[in-house]
Amino acid sequence: AQTVTQSQPEMSVQEAETVTLSCTYDTSESDYYLFWYKQPPSRQMILVIRQEAYKQQNATENRFSVNFQKAAKSFSLKISDSQLGDAAMYFCAYRTAGRTGANSKLTFGKGITLSVRP
Amino acid sequence: DAGITQSPRHKVTETGTPVTLRCHQTENHRYMYWYRQDPGHGLRLIHYSYGVKDTDKGEVSDGYSVSRSKTEDFLLTLESATSSQTSVYFCAISEWAEAFFGQGTRLTVV
């Protein structure tokens, strides 16, 4: 079974600085997706970024970028120029790329709470 | 935003009573999921569906059942609610890769 591990329960960053959130996963599959989701105090789950395992290039969305290390099964999120609105819980998630029913599970880590200091 | 509606948004119920949460989508996505979120546990999958009448168990399925008789609706039933089922419940939908989430239902079992 696939597992997703976020070992840091909390992190803090100074406004305008850069922070990296760590995530590791375990799978025997070769083709899969990885995601970072953000959950602000409103409780809404918001997709931040997506990475396809077959792509070597790291995904980037504005101030958010990932460092995808497939061999090490590591998928970290870097937030540049941190803003107060980035304060939230962040979840790493994994999904197999197969299209059969049993492959449609989306597995989450336990999350990390990010605080931003003004 | 993806068209996902969860109902009710908040519910307080008594131990031992049955409870049904509803997830409705307007996106015609194939996959639908029910998660529960508890402090220190992240999001844990309860049940999921990969088509009408096609469902399967997740990692915390005991005490829960689901039904999907139409593409747009995915129902989660707590057969006999217990205090350990007090949680925030999220529905999610997906077609290709990423999932889109509803706003969550806060369920309190007293």
Side-chain angles (χ1 to χ4, degrees), chain B residues 6-104:
Chain B
Q6 289 186 231
S7 59
R9 294 290 312 280
H10 301 273
K11 185 172 183 65
V12 179
T13 191
E14 292 186 350
T15 299
T17 60
V19 177
T20 295
L21 308 183
R22 180 184 184 231
C23 179
H24 178 77
Q25 63 152 325
T26 58
E27 305 296 324
N28 201 36
H29 282 355
R30 178 181 179 187
Y31 302 103
M32 298 186 76
Y33 308 84
W34 278 108
Y35 291 89
R36 60 178 290 175
Q37 183 178 13
D38 305 287
H41 291 277
L43 276 79
R44 293 182 291 175
L45 182 63
I46 305 171
H47 282 279
Y48 64 102
S49 170
Y50 45 93
V52 174
K53 297 186 179 179
D54 290 323
T55 64
D56 204 351
K57 296 179 180 180
E59 59 181 307
V60 289
S61 59
D62 287 349
Y64 302 94
S65 63
V66 290
S67 67
R68 191 173 180 195
S69 59
K70 298 184 292 184
T71 298
E72 57 266 33
D73 289 323
F74 192 34
L75 304 180
L76 176 71
T77 298
L78 288 65
E79 307 289 348
S80 177
T82 68
S83 59
S84 64
Q85 293 176 313
T86 292
S87 186
V88 177
Y89 291 84
F90 283 97
C91 173
I93 64 173
S94 176
E95 186 61 30
W96 289 106
E98 61 266 30
F100 302 96
F101 284 79
Q103 293 180 296

Side-chain angles (χ1 to χ4, degrees), chain A residues 82-93:
Chain A
S82 297
Q83 301 175 0
L84 295 178
D86 295 333
M89 181 165 279
Y90 288 82
F91 292 96
C92 179

Side-chain angles (χ1 to χ4, degrees), chain A residues 4 6 23 25 32-38 45-52 59 66 68 75-77 90-97 104-109, chain B residues 33 94 96-101:
Chain A
V4 177
Q6 295 178 254
C23 173
Y25 59 96
Y32 48 87
Y33 300 99
L34 294 164
F35 311 94
W36 279 98
Y37 283 85
K38 171 185 178 181
M45 292 287 289
I46 302 165
L47 177 67
V48 174
I49 201 164
R50 174 180 109 178
Q51 175 77 45
E52 292 89 342
V66 299
F68 173 49
F75 183 61
S76 59
L77 176 69
Y90 288 82
F91 292 96
C92 179
Y94 166 100
R95 180 180 183 177
T96 302
S104 59
K105 291 182 182 180
L106 181 60
T107 303
F108 285 82
Chain B
Y33 308 84
S94 176
W96 289 106
E98 61 266 30
F100 302 96
F101 284 79

Side-chain angles (χ1 to χ4, degrees), chain A residues 21-87:
Chain A
L21 310 182
S22 300
C23 173
T24 59
Y25 59 96
D26 186 27
T27 183
S28 58
E29 303 288 336
S30 60
D31 194 14
Y32 48 87
Y33 300 99
L34 294 164
F35 311 94
W36 279 98
Y37 283 85
K38 171 185 178 181
Q39 187 182 42
S42 67
R43 202 170 69 191
Q44 182 65 44
M45 292 287 289
I46 302 165
L47 177 67
V48 174
I49 201 164
R50 174 180 109 178
Q51 175 77 45
E52 292 89 342
Y54 68 86
K55 290 185 178 179
Q56 294 184 343
Q57 186 173 6
N58 289 324
T60 299
E61 289 287 343
N62 301 313
R63 297 183 294 107
F64 298 87
S65 62
V66 299
N67 183 4
F68 173 49
Q69 301 291 327
K70 191 173 184 179
K73 296 180 182 176
S74 171
F75 183 61
S76 59
L77 176 69
K78 185 172 79 171
I79 306 174
S80 303
D81 186 25
S82 297
Q83 301 175 0
L84 295 178
D86 295 333

